[in-house]
Amino acid sequence: MVRTRFAPSPTGFMHVGNLRTALYEYLVAKSAGGRFVLRIEDTDRGRLVEGAVDVIYRTLSLAGLCHDEGPDIGGPFGPYVQSERMNLYLPYAESLVRSGHAYYCFCTKERLDSLHDGESTQDSPGYDRHCRDLPADEVRDKLASGMPYVIRQKMPLTGQTTFEDLVFGIITVPNKELEDQILIKADGFPTYNFANIIDDHLMEITHVVRGSEYLSSTPKYNLLYEAFNWEIPRYVHLPLIQGRNEDGTVSKLSKRHGSTGFDDLIAEGFLPEAIINYIALLGWCPKEDTRELFSLSELTGAFSIDGISKAPATFDYDKLEWFNAEYIHRMSREEFIVQAVPYFSGLSCVDESTHDLLTEILQPRITRFCQIPEKLSYLNGLEDFDPELFEHKKSKSSVDSARLLLGQAAESLRSITDWDADSVINALTKVSERNDVKKSAVMWAVRIAVTGMAVTPGGAVEALLLLGRDRSIERMEHSRQRISQ
RNA sequence: GGCCCUAUGGUCAAGCGGUUAAGACACCGCCCUCUCAAGGCGGAAUCAGGAGUUCGAUUCUCCUUAGGGUCACCA
């Protein structure tokens, strides 16, 4: 049974990188009929954020990544919140001390800080292993006197550690590069590095899926598994998601690259399905064909670990936008209206009777729902526009022709009894025939006159239908007068 | 800087010794057309460089270069 876990720390913010990790964890498990568990890693009490866990629940649920075990729904391996497992870690660390794989360290914060200043980190990285070989009785005394301490992992000084990653292959690191990392902090909490492997083992996680930034610390974890004589899980490291910097370079995706939080993207009008679909394809590609549109369950069916690429991928908002548009275009009329209605509220001339027409003109034209108000802003009032808008070569329209045609068009429209597409087209076509001009010249003049916008969703006819007869004619007269001096 | 990883068009990428080097986004052009979209058709654009292995390298090996990651009492 494949078991994966998503182990976010509750920061109150769900980064798309985290979300993609969750997605792949879900897919690795579900594509193999396994279980996907949620574990909250809140061992950093300094970074606790109110309500942050709810953000995680909400995001997973919106994204459709339903977990099989977790703090909210329980499961056979609980509790699923690390702070509630507090008393469980220290004994493991102490057993490591006894077996010679870890040691107490009494170094002060100040001493550690001064270490970082002395740039010459010749052989060993980070910590200088100052307390590694303290005499046993000295350790006993310090402990007895209540001196604050941390527990550090005792890394081998020679040799090398090798592990296999399912996407990156075999990786070997010299042991002397490994820092004697802290396992238990002075506040008694375990570090992520320690809690992580204890919990993964206890929760019987079979596949550890995470970003490739953890690649270089994986040997340290393996040394821990070995010290405990525990089975080492399979590793699936994911290529990083990068963002494009202003100067054209790329780096690990972060806030300065724009909206990188799931909530931000939602607020900007991206659909959860589109976001999931896009990030699934950032670093993964289906084997069978060139399809790109996948629902979550289709992804589950198509997913395989060997489709994951090693090279980092750059987040591309254009492509996300395209996915979003695809999802919008494929909606049923009913779905579209449900999503669009909230954006109709600030618009005049819109009621249920216009929903079908609005869907028709909007659905192929928006890539995000929040674009609706600006696209239809003319409904709320005719702005003073540049008369030059009447000039349009391709439509054979000009200020002069508009001046001539608008009066007649208004006149013709005024006599319509049933204000519908057919009669409007009919009336305007007659105007063009009577004056022996292209239909587009009339249409252009009318559309500009009633909307004041160079570009509108739908054409003159749709604008007229939305505005209604009275308002349309009123606007046409108004616009005609503006160009009649 | 040490260590680790990566390298096919601007971006996501297929390819896993022999291909006219797929496809998608973006871009450009044409068609359709009452504007703009949508849709259809077409175009430009990629194997970082150098050695080797091989009958033959985008594909395997090494070096160089470039980029990224990591070096916390954060996760």
Side-chain angles (χ1 to χ4, degrees), chain A residues 250-261:
Chain A
V250 294
S251 53
K252 193 162 135 182
L253 189 65
S254 69
K255 285 179 187 168
R256 73 168 177 283
H257 296 117
S259 298
T260 56

Side-chain angles (χ1 to χ4, degrees), chain A residues 243-448:
Chain A
R244 190 162 295 285
N245 301 317
E246 283 186 8
D247 60 4
T249 60
V250 294
S251 53
K252 193 162 135 182
L253 189 65
S254 69
K255 285 179 187 168
R256 73 168 177 283
H257 296 117
S259 298
T260 56
F262 182 74
D263 286 344
D264 297 334
L265 293 173
I266 296 294
E268 285 188 18
F270 293 103
L271 302 165
E273 301 78 20
I275 298 172
I276 288 293
N277 197 154
Y278 174 60
I279 63 179
L281 262 21
L282 251 194
W284 173 81
C285 177
K287 284 292 164 197
E288 340 79 72
D289 55 28
T290 59
R291 181 153 73 117
E292 297 201 280
L293 256 29
F294 289 91
S295 68
L296 184 58
S297 70
E298 289 167 336
L299 282 172
T300 305
F303 187 81
S304 70
I305 292 174
D306 65 345
I308 300 175
S309 63
K310 298 191 257 203
T314 305
F315 195 89
D316 181 3
Y317 288 92
D318 282 339
K319 186 90 186 226
L320 208 212
E321 188 109 12
W322 176 79
F323 271 105
N324 212 53
E326 288 296 311
Y327 277 86
I328 290 174
H329 296 166
R330 280 154 205 269
M331 282 179 174
S332 68
R333 169 169 300 226
E334 292 71 28
E335 283 177 292
F336 182 85
I337 291 173
V338 167
Q339 297 272 351
V341 156
Y343 297 96
F344 289 163
S345 59
L347 295 171
S348 311
C349 313
V350 172
D351 59 36
E352 277 191 34
S353 70
T354 54
H355 281 0
D356 280 353
L357 176 58
L358 286 170
T359 301
E360 189 186 313
I361 64 173
L362 252 17
Q363 192 165 11
R365 266 173 267 254
I366 60 169
T367 54
R368 287 180 277 148
F369 281 96
C370 56
Q371 294 160 344
I372 290 175
E374 46 138 337
K375 286 204 186 296
L376 289 173
S377 63
Y378 71 85
L379 291 178
N380 288 347
L382 184 62
E383 301 284 327
D384 278 345
F385 58 91
D386 184 350
E388 283 297 304
L389 285 185
F390 283 115
E391 299 287 342
H392 188 72
K393 230 171 95 194
K394 196 156 161 273
S395 300
K396 297 269 197 291
S397 175
S398 64
V399 177
D400 290 336
S401 70
R403 193 179 296 124
L404 169 72
L405 297 168
L406 280 176
Q408 293 185 38
E411 201 55 40
S412 184
L413 290 171
R414 203 187 302 276
S415 59
I416 291 178
T417 47
D418 293 323
W419 190 254
D420 58 30
D422 283 345
S423 37
V424 167
I425 291 173
N426 208 359
L428 294 178
T429 304
K430 277 190 184 134
V431 174
S432 73
E433 286 168 353
R434 194 184 313 139
N435 291 278
D436 195 26
V437 298
K438 286 186 68 174
K439 191 174 73 173
S440 60
V442 178
M443 293 297 189
W444 181 274
V446 170
R447 190 178 63 84
I448 297 299

Side-chain angles (χ1 to χ4, degrees), chain A residues 1 196-208 221-235:
Chain A
M1 164 75 86
N196 188 42
I197 72 116
I198 302 290
D199 288 339
D200 282 347
H201 174 258
L202 261 24
M203 294 182 179
E204 298 180 11
I205 300 304
T206 60
H207 291 63
V208 171
Y221 305 144
N222 277 10
L223 258 9
L224 249 16
Y225 283 108
E226 284 167 7
F228 284 122
N229 209 0
W230 289 344
E231 189 183 347
I232 294 173
R234 315 277 273 165
Y235 290 110

